């Protein structure tokens, strides 16, 4: 794969993680939180996202990754942890590209 393909294809997991981490910091309203987010971070338990913040986060995910999410079909496994989110977003980006 050449560099042009990397720029136009679906994002890799590392890129997805970085973008999700940054979005979560923005949604939480504390950019300093970003540094402590790992793949094991629980979006609800560790970051304390409430339902409104979660909806805003999911809408921002759609914009950030140019995706159309089926909100009613989402499971906690897909959005409960940063790792689950990364895998879900990467898979959706590949599927929708």
């Amino acid at each position: 794969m050449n560099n042009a393909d990397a720029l136009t294809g679906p994002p890799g997991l590392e890129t997805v993680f970085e973008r999700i981490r940054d979005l979560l910091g923005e949604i939480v309203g504390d950019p300093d939180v970003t540094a402590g987010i790992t793949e094991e971070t629980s979006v609800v338990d560790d970051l304390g996202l409430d339902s409104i913040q979660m909806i805003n986060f999911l809408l921002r995910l759609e914009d950030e990754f140019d995706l159309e999410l089926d909100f009613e079909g989402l499971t906690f496994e897909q959005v409960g942890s940063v790792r689950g989110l990364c895998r879900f977003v990467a898979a959706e980006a590949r599927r929708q590209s």
Side-chain angles (χ1 to χ4, degrees):
M1 175 184 293
N2 64 39
N3 287 338
D5 290 337
L7 295 175
T8 60
L13 280 178
E14 186 174 328
T15 301
V16 170
F17 170 75
E18 292 167 358
R19 291 164 68 183
I20 286 175
R21 181 191 61 205
D22 293 344
L23 280 176
L24 285 168
E26 291 174 22
I27 294 294
V28 171
D30 184 357
D32 294 334
V33 162
T34 303
I37 294 175
T38 68
E39 288 185 5
E40 287 76 34
T41 299
S42 167
V43 175
V44 175
D45 295 334
D46 296 330
L47 298 179
L49 261 63
D50 61 26
S51 58
I52 299 297
Q53 288 173 315
M54 182 61 88
I55 291 168
N56 287 333
F57 173 65
L58 292 172
L59 291 172
R60 295 281 308 275
L61 273 180
E62 284 187 319
D63 291 341
E64 180 73 19
F65 293 97
D66 194 28
L67 298 173
E68 188 172 319
L69 301 178
D70 173 16
F71 295 106
E72 292 180 13
L74 291 175
T75 66
F76 188 74
E77 183 177 285
Q78 293 168 320
V79 298
S81 71
V82 173
R83 174 179 286 130
L85 279 164
C86 289
R87 289 180 178 163
F88 172 72
V89 167
E92 282 298 301
R94 281 190 299 274
R95 188 179 71 75
Q96 294 183 27
S97 65

